[in-house]
Amino acid sequence: MRNGVRFPLRLKVRVETEQGAFDAETEDVSASGVLFRTQAEAPAINAQLSWTMVLPGEVMGGPADTVVHCLGRVIWRRSSQDGQQIGAVIDSYRIAGGPK
């Protein structure tokens, strides 16, 4: 069951784990979680993740992009035709401002 409104945002991200990093794309994002799609092997349930998202200014309603550094963990994963889907909860985040 989802707790928040999800927004369909396709953002390229680099996800860091204790086992290494992988490239992914977000499918949707909410204040409490994110759905990733990747061609890499999905991390285990409860694996710790960190990633940075650049939210476009036009999506955020401002003149500049917003950079958000997130820490979270895998709550589910599954294989699909396009690779792996990973559902992650956002445990904490830090807004860093726009890119320079």
Side-chain angles (χ1 to χ4, degrees):
M1 176 180 255
R2 292 185 172 174
N3 293 330
V5 176
R6 296 219 171 218
F7 300 95
L9 292 174
R10 305 267 186 206
L11 305 170
K12 302 276 187 206
V13 295
R14 181 92 175 145
V15 180
E16 303 282 339
T17 73
E18 290 180 0
Q19 289 72 39
F22 61 91
D23 292 318
E25 183 176 51
T26 64
E27 284 192 21
D28 59 45
V29 177
S30 76
S32 61
V34 63
L35 171 58
F36 296 111
R37 182 176 301 277
T38 184
Q39 295 300 314
E41 180 71 25
I45 302 297
N46 290 321
Q48 299 295 306
L49 308 173
S50 65
W51 68 95
T52 299
M53 297 184 291
V54 179
L55 303 172
E58 57 271 11
V59 170
M60 298 301 292
D65 294 347
T66 301
V67 178
V68 183
H69 302 289
C70 301
L71 297 175
R73 59 197 147 79
V74 176
I75 55 173
W76 61 264
R77 61 189 206 155
R78 69 174 163 241
S79 296
S80 72
Q81 291 176 235
D82 302 10
Q84 301 289 315
Q85 289 183 311
I86 302 166
V89 65
I90 298 172
D91 292 320
S92 65
Y93 66 90
R94 180 175 50 87
I95 297 174
K100 300 189 187 230

